[in-house]
Amino acid sequence: MPTLAASNRPEDLAASLSEVVGVENGAALLKTLREVKNQIIGNKTKKLQYLHLGAVPKIVSVLASASSGTADGGDSVIIVQAAAALGSFACGVEDGARAVVEAGAVPHLVRLLSHPNGKVIDAGARSLRMIFQSKLAPKYDMLPEENMRFLLSLLNSENENATELAVRIIAHSCDKREEQNALCDARVLQRLLHLLEGSLSQRDASLASIVAIVKNNSEVARTFASIDNGKSLGALTELIHDRYPRTRYLACMCLIAIGEVSSFAHDLQTKTNLILVLAKLLEDSSEVGDDSPFALLDMIADKEELQVQIVAINVVEKFCNYLEKGSIPPRRLQGILLALAELCSKSEICRGQLISPQFLNVIVDALQHENAGVRIAACTCLKNISRSVKNLCAGRFSNESFIVPLVKLLNDPSTSVQDATLGAICNVSIDFTSKKAAIVKCGGLPLLVQISKSIDPSLRLKSVCALRNLMFIADGTLKEYIISELTISELTCLICDSEHLIQEQALALVSNFINGSIDLIELVFAEDGLIINAVMRQLRSNFATQVSIQGMFLLCNIAAGDESHKEAVLSYLIPLKSDEYAHLLIRFMQSKDKLLRTATVWCILNLTDPAGANSSDRVRRLQDGGIISQIKTMVNDPWLDCKFRVRKVLEQCMIPQSMRM
Amino acid sequence: MSRLWFVPGQLNATESMSTSKKVITREEWEKKLKDVKIRKEDMNKLVMNFLVTEGYVEAAEKFRMESGTQPEIDLATITDRMAVKKAVQSGNVQDAIEKVNDLNPEILDTNPHLYFHLQQQRLIELIRYGKVEAALEFAQEELAPRGEENQSFLEELERTVALLAFEDIKNCPYGELLDLSQRLKTASEVNAAILTSQSHEKDPKLPSLLKMLIWAQNQLDEKAAYPRINDLSTATLEDPAV
């Protein structure tokens, strides 16, 4: 007795699927399958509902038993419905694609491709095509001879659906050099080129496959470019102006892939055309508009020549005008902001173009966007715009509306957003006046201090870096406030952090603090010399040159203070009992690093300043420690800055006792 | 020198335009047209393209036999497409959806706008026949999730559901949704999607040619007086107005 579902409700239909398994219940099964298929096509909610009801494995077993039986007409109808339903599950819903693959549908569907009935082949090929559009589809191993033969038979098939399936399989699966070479040897590129003249979907799939085959493979790219004496490139160049946006986009991707590995399609004019096409595509309402800014980003990343060109042809202006229109889909917004960020990382002109009230409004909105990717992109953009020293000096960031949302992002639940936010705050806080106050006023300081204790080294590093920049030529009140929030013991911990980069930033922070005021130098000796002891410990034990440089610059700054400070530094560097530190100074001056040599000599220069009452005594102690004779060997130091200071030190040491103050 | 010439020339332009228009007489015009050669096969193809795209399957079949012109697609697919179109036009939307899915399940799976409009049409039909409860349930279960996916869908859905709030739905603000024209609009959207899925242009070529003719005449009007075609259905040459 055939079982019919009690109703068309998903629960009943899914239940009856397992009851009617068994081909003998043909009519009822067919009805149920058709109903399920018609309910899920186009309907994401229903797909998920059926997924949870476990419908996919049931349909796969229906397909398996129907296709293993004798191939009479009745079976074919069921196979077609089952295949169509599985294809739909895989379309547009990631979980669906995963379920279909995990239920083992692929081999059954592949078997359908050799079915005598054309409709079954169509249904199987369509279904597989949907599956292979998903990133979750398994890679097809085309290297075994038998598999390659099957793939080629599909590709050369008369059935358009089968051909397109083969093209999509290639686009999805081909990612190894051997596969690229094998496909090239099998003259697949010629076939794909031919398919470019076919239907729209064949053409688009072929373009995606060509990208997969030529990517990072200069030999294959050369072969492609020489097909029919270069007609292949001509065809692609025409397609970048095609009337269908997706085709234009894919043709651009092809030319970019070829241009990256060969001299073809590599001239500036072609690239300029590609940029213009991609820039125009971002106005397209489909997915293409979301992908094109990312393609542009890949294309221009680290390519200064192209970045200059992009600024020259007013693309930045177009981006801004587009962004100011508002209500842009998140992925697209993210892509455009990242592309602009990339441009701003080098081009001062681009930064200048972006410093407008309208664009800052866009940034302010993006900082508060619900999508984390957009927030990160906005921070990155802000970070790179504020790389402009010129604009920072001129205080052109007079609009401070972005500070509040930016500071708020320090509390973001996503670590990546926090990381990007710190990057932006680092640069913004260099601002010579108003931004520092604004950041502090919005409650940014306690947040930065809190993050500097994070277990994530990257967050710790960037927060210390931000604090260091906040400290940079700040006024005394702000400096004191920062230290009181941070506390001396915390600062000491940061100087002794396990990461070299953090140690370096923490030392620089102290340097920025004491810079410019003798009174502030006392900080390093406070609480029984917590900081200075930590600094000396790092100098002695550290093998990271950057840390030693910052440490020496810090000592140099302290030695710029009054007599007691100079005495203290010298007593730390050349203690009466041990000559361990003297060796340290000599080692630094013999370093290959010009900055370390300079910092060390500079420190000694400050110590030997003849204006100091005890300077001759200090010169003597330095002489006794062998320091001066080391300096004498450096009179022709290849680094001018160092050489100049070496000569200055020697001059100061020559001044007789009587002439000293 | 030429620069100096240019300025007065431009100033006089508006004045001289009407007088300097070239007049082309009917004889001259017909002689010119005679020199243009058009191939019969091209004409036949245009006609076939029109019949196929518009879905005149029997006429296309007869025309194929009589003129020997091969259609660009399998004529059998026209029958299927027409059946879908007709189902929408007569309000059997569910039937239309099933037919489209049999034809090619990818169409509705990859075309959310079309899918939404078909579902919306289903809702409109339920409302038209006063099935209030069914309409509400359908709107909530099937359409509301689409509205969550897309803001513009939500707005259209709200407009449609608003129909339920009025006693006299024909004369309410959104009454036009109940017009036959709404069905035709949906039907032509489905028709276009099926054609696209068959890699066929969704519009016939003939109207584009006529549009181009009108555009070209408008361009020419600024420069010359000539025997114009004003009535496209008869394509009669009118004498130039001098």
Side-chain angles (χ1 to χ4, degrees), chain A residues 41-52:
Chain A
I41 287 180
N43 194 326
K44 209 172 154 182
T45 334
K46 284 274 167 63
K47 283 180 194 181
L48 291 172
Q49 211 174 343
Y50 277 104
L51 277 179
H52 292 309

Side-chain angles (χ1 to χ4, degrees), chain A residues 61-109:
Chain A
S61 59
V62 168
L63 177 68
S65 66
S67 58
S68 65
T70 47
D72 62 341
D75 275 9
S76 297
V77 184
I78 287 181
I79 294 171
V80 168
Q81 296 299 328
L86 291 174
S88 179
F89 273 117
C91 177
V93 182
E94 280 216 340
D95 285 345
R98 187 179 298 117
V100 171
V101 171
E102 280 174 4
V106 176
H108 293 300
L109 290 168

Side-chain angles (χ1 to χ4, degrees), chain A residues 34 45-47 88 129 199, chain B residues 102 106 109 142 146 199:
Chain A
R34 243 179 85 85
T45 334
K46 284 274 167 63
K47 283 180 194 181
S88 179
R129 228 162 59 194
S199 71
Chain B
D102 281 339
E106 277 170 68
D109 244 340
E142 301 288 333
R146 305 287 85 72
S199 322

Side-chain angles (χ1 to χ4, degrees), chain A residues 204-340:
Chain A
D204 287 357
S206 301
L207 286 169
S209 287
I210 294 173
V211 174
I213 301 177
V214 302
K215 199 159 197 167
N216 300 327
N217 191 327
S218 54
E219 226 165 286
V220 171
R222 207 174 307 131
T223 310
F224 178 77
S226 60
I227 297 175
D228 286 347
N229 297 322
K231 278 196 188 134
S232 48
L233 287 181
L236 291 181
T237 313
E238 256 172 53
L239 286 177
I240 66 171
H241 299 297
D242 192 83
R243 54 189 285 209
Y244 291 101
R246 177 126 209 108
T247 309
R248 292 204 292 275
Y249 169 76
L250 288 166
C252 285
M253 298 305 286
C254 267
L255 284 173
I256 293 172
I258 295 168
E260 300 240 296
V261 288
S262 69
S263 53
F264 306 104
H266 199 69
D267 58 303
L268 190 60
Q269 189 52 47
T270 311
K271 287 186 170 173
T272 309
N273 285 340
L274 290 174
I275 290 172
L276 286 171
V277 172
L278 288 172
K280 183 86 191 127
L281 276 174
L282 67 88
E283 288 170 26
D284 186 81
S285 60
S286 71
E287 218 177 53
V288 169
D290 297 343
D291 291 337
S292 64
F294 286 94
L296 202 60
L297 178 63
D298 278 348
M299 192 177 164
I300 60 169
D302 300 320
K303 305 227 171 61
E304 217 164 338
E305 182 198 32
L306 275 187
Q307 300 193 0
V308 171
Q309 179 71 356
I310 232 181
V311 174
I313 56 178
N314 288 336
V315 169
V316 175
E317 209 180 313
K318 274 181 209 148
F319 279 3
C320 291
N321 291 339
Y322 179 72
L323 287 178
E324 282 156 21
K325 281 186 207 153
S327 67
I328 295 161
R331 216 176 101 77
R332 188 172 315 191
L333 181 56
Q334 182 193 5
I336 299 173
L337 288 175
L338 287 176
L340 286 173

Side-chain angles (χ1 to χ4, degrees), chain A residues 440-516:
Chain A
V440 174
K441 212 163 86 191
C442 301
L445 192 52
L447 289 172
L448 287 174
V449 169
Q450 191 192 329
I451 299 175
S452 73
K453 298 167 194 162
S454 159
I455 50 162
D456 183 325
S458 170
L459 291 185
R460 220 157 61 225
L461 172 64
K462 286 186 178 160
S463 59
V464 178
C465 184
L467 288 168
R468 169 200 129 155
N469 288 348
L470 213 49
M471 197 70 105
F472 177 62
I473 55 174
D475 62 41
T477 334
L478 178 55
K479 283 181 173 180
E480 302 267 14
Y481 179 42
I482 296 174
I483 289 296
S484 72
E485 281 287 322
L486 188 60
T487 74
I488 290 178
S489 59
E490 243 351 285
L491 186 51
T492 312
C493 285
L494 288 171
I495 292 172
C496 304
D497 195 281
S498 56
E499 301 285 324
H500 289 158
L501 291 170
I502 297 174
Q503 299 165 8
E504 186 191 339
Q505 294 301 326
L507 288 169
L509 189 153
V510 180
S511 285
N512 281 350
F513 177 81
I514 62 173
N515 177 36

Side-chain angles (χ1 to χ4, degrees), chain B:
Chain B
M1 277 298 270
S2 59
R3 213 168 251 276
L4 286 169
W5 270 103
F6 189 66
V7 178
Q10 217 180 18
L11 284 171
N12 290 331
T14 33
E15 206 184 335
S16 59
M17 268 264 276
S18 55
T19 53
S20 75
K21 251 196 200 175
K22 196 177 173 192
V23 178
I24 305 168
T25 63
R26 180 184 279 268
E27 292 73 40
E28 284 176 279
W29 193 246
E30 282 177 346
K31 196 168 160 269
K32 279 183 203 288
L33 290 183
K34 213 171 237 170
D35 290 341
V36 183
K37 299 273 175 276
I38 288 175
R39 297 193 316 157
K40 183 84 186 246
E41 293 90 329
D42 293 345
M43 299 280 291
N44 286 347
K45 275 191 183 160
L46 281 171
V47 172
M48 182 55 99
N49 169 275
F50 181 76
L51 294 176
V52 165
T53 316
E54 292 293 312
Y56 300 111
V57 63
E58 283 167 34
E61 182 57 38
K62 285 232 168 73
F63 187 65
R64 184 182 69 84
M65 291 200 297
E66 286 190 21
S67 68
T69 311
Q70 285 307 317
E72 307 113 16
I73 48 175
D74 185 358
L75 288 178
T77 63
I78 304 180
T79 319
D80 296 332
R81 177 161 54 90
M82 286 304 112
V84 175
K85 200 171 163 186
K86 213 165 153 194
V88 180
Q89 280 169 353
S90 52
N92 298 325
V93 186
Q94 180 56 26
D95 187 35
I97 291 179
E98 291 182 10
K99 285 195 161 81
V100 177
N101 288 344
D102 281 339
L103 209 54
N104 180 352
E106 277 170 68
I107 297 176
L108 294 184
D109 244 340
T110 52
N111 204 333
H113 282 91
L114 175 64
Y115 182 70
F116 176 80
H117 287 142
L118 281 169
Q119 296 284 59
Q120 182 191 26
Q121 192 66 45
R122 264 180 93 177
L123 178 61
I124 292 171
E125 301 304 337
L126 288 171
I127 297 173
R128 186 194 312 277
Y129 296 111
K131 297 178 183 166
V132 177
E133 254 178 66
L136 278 175
E137 193 186 351
F138 184 74
Q140 204 166 351
E141 300 242 315
E142 301 288 333
L143 284 161
R146 305 287 85 72
E148 280 170 32
E149 289 159 17
N150 185 314
Q151 181 63 30
S152 68
F153 292 170
L154 189 63
E155 284 159 20
E156 283 189 64
L157 175 59
E158 281 167 356
R159 254 163 31 99
T160 318
V161 174
L163 289 172
L164 287 167
F166 295 91
E167 295 252 330
D168 177 11
I169 49 174
K170 293 256 178 207
N171 295 313
C172 79
Y174 304 124
E176 83 265 8
L177 288 172
L178 291 160
D179 285 351
L180 194 62
S181 65
Q182 179 70 23
R183 279 188 184 170
L184 296 181
K185 205 171 118 189
T186 313
S188 107
E189 204 183 330
V190 186
N191 187 49
I194 300 176
L195 280 169
T196 308
S197 80
Q198 293 166 345
S199 322
H200 195 284
E201 296 281 333
K202 59 187 198 303
D203 300 308
K205 301 285 185 196
L206 216 46
S208 325
L209 276 178
L210 293 178
K211 280 182 192 170
M212 218 185 292
L213 170 77
I214 293 171
W215 179 82
Q217 289 193 145
N218 290 343
Q219 295 286 308
L220 192 56
D221 282 343
E222 291 175 14
K223 296 188 178 72
Y226 59 95
R228 208 174 188 281
I229 293 178
N230 289 335
D231 184 350
L232 287 178
S233 63
T234 59
T236 328
L237 293 177
E238 314 277 342
D239 281 326
V242 187

